[in-house]
Amino acid sequence: MQPQVEIQLIAAVVAVACALPGVFLVLRRMAMMSDAISHAILFGIVVAFLVVESLGSPFLVFGAALTGVLTVSMVEGLFKTRLVKEDAAIGLVFPVLFSIGVILISRFAGNVHLDIDAVLLGELAFAPFDRLMFNNHDLGPKALWVMGGILLLNIILIVLFFKELKLASFDEGLASALGFSPALIHYGLMSQVSLTAVGAFDAVGSILVVALMIGPPTSAYLLTDRLSRMLSISAAIGVISAVSGYWLAHWWDVNIAGSIATMIGLIFFLIYLFAPRRGVVALLRRRNYQRWHFAESMLAVHLLTHLGQPEEARECHRDEVHKHLNWQENHAKRVVRRALQDGYVHLDKDILRLTAIGKKLAGKAVVE
Amino acid sequence: MNGLNEKHKPPRDQAAIWVEDLTVAYQDKPVLWDVDLAIPKGVLMAIVGPNGAGKTTMIKAMLGLVDPVAGRVEVFGKPFREQRRLLGYVPQRTSVDWDFPTNVLDVVMMGRYGTLGWFRRPGKAEREKAMHALEKVAMDPYADRQISQLSGGQQQRVFLARALAQEAEVYLMDEPFQGVDATTERAIVDLLRELRKQGRTVVVVHHDLQTVPDYFDWVFLLNVRRIACGPVETFFTEENLRLAYGGRVAILGERKPIADDAKSL
């Protein structure tokens, strides 16, 4: 495989592996926990590295993942004292662990692959150089194997515990009453997030881990009403961001991880604007429609009130009606034009008269 | 008073729920103090008491959602942990996020998860039971509806349907009448009565004192400590209400002030 293809493949695998547990983080309102975990694991990575003296060891991956879980329990422990709010607890815990990690790197590991630039944004471009060899056979980039394994594990866990994750995320009380320990599910999910963050950290750095865990699920949330679809749409958005981000970086000759994070932000923004039902544009359109619809209803009710009455010719004359409704003349004209277009009224010698559906509209407006 | 209470106390192994010396505290502050309670099988019981009396905590303790610092809860003579299947739970409607990406049928099917246990996925049988439960609360036309599109009353009915899908023996409901319209209130009352007719036991945290004699046959007055428990006609008295609400309750029989007073306490 060419390095170009390999980098895109790694980026896509990392994106999906992060997006899947990210869906549950977003739904459980724990988005900021991914920030805490992805930074705090640096401490675990450095300590584990100093112990095993190899970056590729599975021991390092699991050791560092433990730090993630430790972070979560430290945040929760601090929060439970009620002396500190939860967001403040997050803000206190992870910078401490992160900065201890930074100090340890500069003090003890300054001359190895762990450097502080890579910590924040990773270096996807170098990922293909670190190969997995077996009996002198080249099996491909190591990052692809590590993240592929983590992705597979994430898929298996989510498929296996889909029902439990859904229940505990939606209604913790019921989950507990039914005997599904929410604490177990919570810490299970946190372990999964930590493991994913550690795996992705090496390739893409801590900022992109947060972007990949939170961006695609938040975008998918605006597009669907079903949890299963939210998972698959998140995965798809992750892949699209990864590949388009790679090409953005290629053309502009910039950092790949940064470009991917930019694409995630851009895709979210587009979905935020143009999502079919929840997007800003759809919302404005609906509001606009409702405004006119309400105005037409008012007109219809007015016409119905004076229908067949002696004053009808005056009250319902096309050029007079605005005076009786106390509307701006232009506004009244536009409402009348719309009502004519929509078939609610017709003109009978300049007198506005309700059609059958116009009467229905007025009737409905009054009842409601 | 206690003597009278004793007379209405079913023997331990026959009680649907048996609570002994239950004390629950949050951060050293007791919300329930040494509560004894025996709920006979087949009653429709209201838990009433002022805000902060520990009504919700009482229900949560019966379900094992909070750990008591002292005392025990038994369900049909056994620790509740062994009897989870027998308990149906209707939490407060506002306790969940109704923007969660799921639909009505899916929420009701969650009532079947306990019977399914870990790993097993809901299938056709669960779907049918959930649909059946939805029919009971007249929400079957909404089965495919996204839950964020429901009104408050509809949300409450969905929660009731979910509890029905649990096919429990004892139902514990936390303010099912909170913020629902008159139609839904009527529908809930009918449902509670039907459950009682089937011999189920129903325990409801209730706020509107005025409707207690209409809706319920058993009452538990609570204010951190047990005030009284027994048949409504014997124990839902002015004196007991005064004990529970601290003497600020207007005379029973007046229409509104009682419930309002209770809330403002």
Side-chain angles (χ1 to χ4, degrees):
Chain A
M1 260 193 293
Q2 289 188 337
Q4 276 199 346
V5 181
E6 284 179 351
I7 291 170
Q8 289 177 64
L9 204 58
I10 293 168
V13 168
V14 170
V16 178
C18 288
L20 295 179
V23 166
F24 293 99
L25 285 178
V26 168
L27 290 177
R28 297 164 74 94
R29 298 166 191 227
M30 296 181 58
M32 285 319 285
M33 208 56 113
S34 71
D35 199 14
I37 290 175
S38 66
H39 283 86
I41 50 171
L42 178 68
F43 172 75
I45 290 173
V46 180
V47 172
F49 173 73
L50 293 174
V51 175
V52 296
E53 299 193 330
S54 145
L55 270 176
S57 137
F59 176 80
L60 179 136
V61 174
F62 285 99
L66 270 181
T67 328
V69 181
L70 176 79
T71 311
V72 175
S73 52
M74 278 168 78
V75 168
E76 282 168 1
L78 207 53
F79 174 55
K80 265 192 199 135
T81 62
R82 306 235 176 152
L83 300 173
V84 181
K85 300 257 184 286
E86 190 172 20
D87 51 347
I90 290 177
L92 284 167
V93 170
F94 86 79
V96 170
L97 291 173
F98 182 74
S99 43
I100 295 176
V102 171
I103 291 171
L104 288 176
I105 290 179
S106 45
R107 186 77 183 83
F108 299 110
N111 51 359
V112 277
H113 168 69
L114 267 176
D115 66 272
I116 293 162
D117 289 346
V119 161
L120 285 177
L121 280 172
E123 203 31 279
L124 257 176
F126 297 146
F129 297 135
D130 193 7
R131 323 275 315 170
L132 188 70
M133 305 296 280
F134 183 77
N135 280 347
N136 283 338
H137 288 289
D138 180 8
L139 297 177
K142 209 184 257 169
L144 192 57
W145 282 94
V146 173
M147 281 318 291
I150 290 173
L151 170 61
L152 193 67
L153 185 68
N154 284 353
I155 291 174
I156 291 172
L157 287 172
I158 286 173
V159 168
L160 225 49
F161 295 106
F162 183 72
K163 163 179 121 250
E164 288 78 7
L165 280 165
K166 179 163 68 178
L167 176 62
S169 302
F170 175 63
D171 190 344
E172 215 173 55
L174 184 71
S176 179
L178 293 178
F180 300 101
S181 161
L184 191 67
I185 294 168
H186 173 67
Y187 274 95
L189 180 64
M190 289 305 114
S191 312
Q192 203 185 339
V193 169
S194 302
L195 187 66
T196 310
V198 174
F201 185 87
D202 197 27
V204 299
S206 55
I207 304 284
L208 188 54
V209 171
V210 181
L212 282 173
M213 281 191 180
I214 307 307
T218 314
S219 311
Y221 183 75
L222 297 175
L223 293 175
T224 179
D225 289 338
R226 302 236 47 172
L227 180 55
S228 50
R229 262 178 239 152
M230 186 172 163
L231 284 160
S232 48
I233 295 173
S234 297
I237 293 174
V239 171
I240 294 168
S241 319
V243 174
S244 58
Y246 170 81
W247 286 104
L248 189 71
H250 182 78
W251 288 321
W252 287 353
D253 193 21
V254 290
N255 177 290
I256 301 172
S259 312
I260 294 176
T262 307
M263 285 313 295
I264 291 172
L266 190 66
I267 289 174
F268 170 77
F269 186 62
L270 289 175
I271 290 174
Y272 168 77
L273 286 181
F274 302 113
R277 270 192 19 237
R278 305 210 178 116
V280 172
V281 172
L283 215 69
L284 288 176
R285 248 204 205 143
R286 204 155 49 232
R287 212 169 285 161
N288 188 46
Y289 168 80
Q290 276 163 357
R291 213 167 49 115
W292 286 111
H293 187 76
F294 181 60
E296 285 172 78
S297 299
M298 281 195 286
L299 177 69
V301 171
H302 176 75
L303 297 181
L304 189 68
T305 312
H306 300 289
L307 184 72
Q309 303 293 322
E311 74 278 10
E312 191 181 8
R314 189 161 36 84
E315 289 275 349
C316 304
H317 191 278
R318 65 180 300 181
D319 298 326
E320 300 286 313
V321 72
H322 69 274
K323 289 182 197 153
H324 301 285
L325 286 166
N326 195 19
W327 283 356
Q328 297 272 335
E329 193 174 352
N330 277 338
H331 176 65
K333 278 206 170 125
R334 286 169 74 184
V335 176
V336 167
R337 206 181 316 135
R338 272 174 180 263
L340 283 166
Q341 268 171 17
D342 293 342
Y344 293 132
V345 298
H346 63 95
L347 276 173
D348 181 7
K349 289 182 206 129
D350 284 347
I351 308 292
L352 289 164
R353 283 195 202 223
L354 286 173
T355 60
I357 60 163
K359 278 178 193 156
K360 229 183 259 170
L361 178 75
K364 227 175 109 195
V366 173
V367 171
E368 277 170 5
Chain B
M1 186 177 73
N2 274 330
L4 258 175
N5 276 352
E6 284 300 319
K7 203 174 78 187
H8 292 285
K9 214 165 156 182
R12 182 169 179 170
D13 53 338
Q14 278 167 36
I17 292 189
W18 172 277
V19 178
E20 191 178 41
D21 298 332
L22 184 78
T23 300
V24 179
Y26 294 129
Q27 312 264 316
D28 297 338
K29 188 178 163 254
V31 251
L32 291 174
W33 248 133
D34 200 41
V35 174
D36 286 318
L37 176 67
I39 307 172
K41 186 179 178 318
V43 298
L44 196 48
M45 185 179 99
I47 300 183
V48 295
N51 280 348
K55 302 185 294 291
T56 295
T57 307
M58 190 72 213
I59 286 217
K60 286 192 169 163
M62 291 184 208
L63 285 158
L65 301 184
V66 293
D67 288 322
V69 283
R72 80 193 76 229
V73 176
E74 286 180 7
V75 179
F76 290 107
K78 285 183 188 161
F80 70 90
R81 276 180 218 288
E82 296 167 26
Q83 304 278 53
R84 280 191 220 279
R85 294 289 146 68
L86 302 180
L87 297 175
Y89 179 35
V90 180
Q92 280 184 28
R93 184 160 52 84
T94 47
S95 67
V96 303
D97 173 14
W98 289 93
D99 284 327
F100 196 85
T102 189
N103 64 17
V104 167
L105 186 66
D106 217 34
V107 170
V108 178
M109 274 204 284
M110 289 178 187
R112 302 300 308 157
Y113 285 10
T115 317
L116 282 171
W118 291 87
F119 303 116
R120 271 174 62 206
R121 305 192 135 224
K124 205 169 157 241
E126 282 68 38
R127 192 177 301 271
E128 273 166 17
K129 286 197 165 151
M131 273 315 285
H132 187 65
L134 276 173
E135 281 163 25
K136 294 244 162 159
V137 296
M139 283 293 288
D140 45 316
Y142 296 86
D144 292 327
R145 195 65 76 87
Q146 215 296 324
I147 58 171
S148 63
Q149 295 167 16
L150 301 177
S151 71
Q154 289 170 333
Q155 290 174 351
Q156 195 62 63
R157 287 175 192 223
V158 169
F159 261 13
L160 281 166
R162 188 177 73 173
L164 290 180
Q166 283 185 253
E167 296 180 340
E169 281 300 318
V170 182
Y171 287 92
L172 302 167
M173 306 185 177
D174 201 347
E175 302 205 26
F177 296 106
Q178 185 73 28
V180 301
D181 51 279
T183 330
T184 300
E185 179 148 346
R186 203 64 249 164
I188 297 174
V189 172
D190 290 345
L191 190 72
L192 298 185
R193 292 197 173 135
E194 201 193 316
L195 286 170
R196 180 178 51 189
K197 223 196 284 168
Q198 294 167 4
R200 315 290 170 93
T201 312
V202 186
V203 177
V204 178
V205 171
H206 196 55
H207 250 307
D208 183 11
L209 293 179
Q210 209 57 60
T211 50
V212 168
D214 282 350
Y215 295 173
F216 300 95
D217 54 16
W218 213 261
V219 67
F220 175 39
L221 289 118
L222 176 73
N223 189 355
V224 185
R225 311 182 124 223
R226 165 206 177 107
I227 306 295
C229 184
V232 168
E233 61 267 26
T234 324
F235 290 94
F236 193 65
T237 60
E238 232 184 287
E239 192 207 338
N240 281 341
L241 281 171
R242 213 159 264 152
L243 282 169
Y245 287 88
R248 283 208 259 160
V249 181
I251 311 298
L252 267 182
E254 267 179 41
R255 210 42 210 166
K256 261 307 232 177
I258 295 176
D260 285 347
D261 260 2
K263 271 175 194 163
S264 66
L265 269 173

